[in-house]
Amino acid sequence: MKDLKELKNLTLLYVEDNEEVARVTTMVLEEYIERVLVVKNGIEALQIFNTYQVDLILSDILMPKMNGIEFARKVREGKHNAQCPIIFTTAHTEVNYLLDAISLSVDGYVLKPINITELLHTMLKAILPKIQAKEIESKNMLLSAINTFVGGKKIEIIRFLLEHCDEEGIFYGSYEYIIEELNVSKPTIVKTFHQLMEVGLLVKIRNKVYKICLDK
């Protein structure tokens, strides 16, 4: 499935009281997600949530001690990571809980028995706004930092690279392509590329192929 790599670095908090369902689902999810924290009820989930930096919550609704709705409400009302994306797993018989879930701005629902393809798609959709915001912030911070020591036409070149790279941060293009698009001189482009490579923000993979390193 496209973009599953976006799940790879996540920490998922999975709340499910059925041990067999939790075991089977976790076994599959661990193939796609770096860290899966599994608990049996909302009370345990809240303790783990307030202890670790969780990127996404996948929770059953009907559970002992504290159900999924109550747990989600505690998350939304808390001071720690209150906007963490939440997805509920739910049976058809639990639809009466969905109005409560909507009021808590839950990010998705997956019916039981869980279809893994549907679950992965729902998870990607839930974390997409956070990923996009992080990418925009990274690009803006990069441009702001570089602007302090290059400026002018060089910033235009860097912005062009950022806007025309693919989702992997790969830019395919020649100096001539940039000259044609931006009307800048070749020496300016060459110097800009060299400066970026010297500080590790740009890596040449092969002729006319470069990788932009936004995680620097």
Side-chain angles (χ1 to χ4, degrees):
M1 186 188 298
K2 183 182 178 181
D3 294 333
L4 283 182
K5 61 178 177 49
E6 301 291 0
L7 300 175
K8 196 62 182 176
N9 296 322
L10 296 182
T11 293
L12 171 71
L13 175 56
Y14 179 30
V15 196
E16 172 59 66
D17 65 314
N18 185 306
E19 291 186 9
E20 182 60 18
V21 171
R23 184 187 67 81
V24 174
T25 305
T26 300
M27 188 167 55
V28 177
L29 288 176
E30 285 178 338
E31 296 182 16
Y32 301 95
I33 297 173
E34 180 176 338
R35 191 180 194 188
V36 182
L37 306 173
V38 187
V39 295
K40 297 178 181 178
N41 59 66
I43 292 178
E44 292 179 6
L46 193 60
Q47 292 173 342
I48 294 296
F49 180 77
N50 287 327
T51 302
Y52 296 92
Q53 183 58 42
V54 173
D55 300 299
L56 179 64
I57 296 169
L58 176 65
S59 177
D60 191 13
I61 290 182
L62 292 184
M63 297 180 294
K65 297 184 180 180
M66 180 188 291
N67 66 34
I69 297 294
E70 293 170 339
F71 166 58
R73 183 172 289 111
K74 294 285 187 183
V75 169
R76 292 289 183 251
E77 292 175 352
K79 296 181 180 180
H80 172 72
N81 198 10
Q83 298 307 311
C84 182
I86 300 173
I87 298 172
F88 277 138
T89 59
T90 175
H92 286 284
T93 55
E94 299 167 6
V95 293
N96 55 310
Y97 288 91
L98 296 186
L99 288 178
D100 288 331
I102 291 171
S103 70
L104 294 170
S105 300
V106 170
D107 300 87
Y109 313 90
V110 178
L111 288 175
K112 292 183 175 182
I114 294 174
N115 178 293
I116 292 298
T117 300
E118 179 187 355
L119 174 58
L120 292 172
H121 175 77
T122 303
M123 292 170 68
L124 283 170
K125 186 177 179 181
I127 65 168
L128 185 60
K130 187 175 182 178
I131 292 171
Q132 291 174 333
K134 186 176 180 180
E135 288 177 349
I136 291 171
E137 181 182 7
S138 295
K139 289 181 179 181
N140 287 341
M141 288 177 64
L142 179 61
L143 286 172
S144 177
I146 293 173
N147 192 41
T148 63
F149 67 90
V150 290
K153 287 291 184 181
K154 293 179 182 178
I155 276 292
E156 291 184 30
I157 295 169
I158 296 165
R159 183 176 288 110
F160 184 84
L161 294 177
L162 292 173
E163 292 175 350
H164 291 80
C165 64
D166 64 15
E167 60 185 16
E168 300 284 347
I170 305 297
F171 174 79
Y172 301 87
S174 63
Y175 293 157
E176 288 72 22
Y177 172 52
I178 301 175
I179 291 170
E180 182 179 341
E181 293 293 321
L182 297 182
N183 191 29
V184 295
S185 69
K186 185 172 181 178
T188 299
I189 296 173
V190 172
K191 187 172 182 179
T192 302
F193 273 51
H194 284 174
Q195 284 182 318
L196 292 176
M197 287 189 283
E198 283 174 1
V199 296
L201 293 173
L202 191 68
V203 176
K204 185 174 183 179
I205 298 176
R206 57 181 183 275
N207 188 35
K208 300 180 182 180
V209 181
Y210 298 84
K211 179 173 178 60
I212 301 168
C213 304
L214 291 177
D215 57 345
K216 290 289 181 183

